[in-house]
Amino acid sequence: MDDETFPDDITLLEVRIEQLAEARERCRKISLAAKIAISIGAAWALLTLVTLLPFFPSTFFGSVAAMIGGTVLLGSNKTTWDETEAALRQAEGARAAIIGRMELRVVGEDSRTVH
């Protein structure tokens, strides 16, 4: 790689890092929604079992479905989150490596000018 391709490579990596950060944020929101579904389903089922709420089969089985669905969603989202985190760390590492190979200079130093 020469010095002229560094900015293009860094730009592409920055775009990739931004996309991965957005995907990670979506995973965080899905994880939160899954935890809420599990909590509400468990609370509803518990309140029905201790007879604080009347027993209706449709709502009871709906609460059980919310717990199961939330658990499945949380598990599959964890895998996606882990893969996204690994890709994000890899892209950030590649960006740092490219920046490390650049011949940067401190402003004010008498050294060779790149332009």
Side-chain angles (χ1 to χ4, degrees), residues 4-5 15 19 68 70 72 93 109 114:
E4 293 179 10
T5 63
V15 169
Q19 291 171 343
I68 293 171
V72 169
E109 282 187 1
V114 179

Side-chain angles (χ1 to χ4, degrees), residues 55-105:
F55 177 78
F56 295 110
S58 59
T59 57
F60 181 75
F61 289 116
S63 68
V64 172
M67 288 187 294
I68 293 171
T71 303
V72 169
L73 184 60
L74 191 61
S76 69
N77 187 56
K78 170 100 172 76
T79 302
T80 303
W81 183 309
D82 291 343
E83 291 171 356
T84 303
E85 276 292 320
L88 184 60
R89 281 192 303 272
Q90 181 183 13
E92 288 173 342
R95 178 184 60 184
I98 290 173
I99 291 172
R101 289 193 310 259
M102 294 176 73
E103 293 179 19
L104 301 175
R105 64 180 178 88

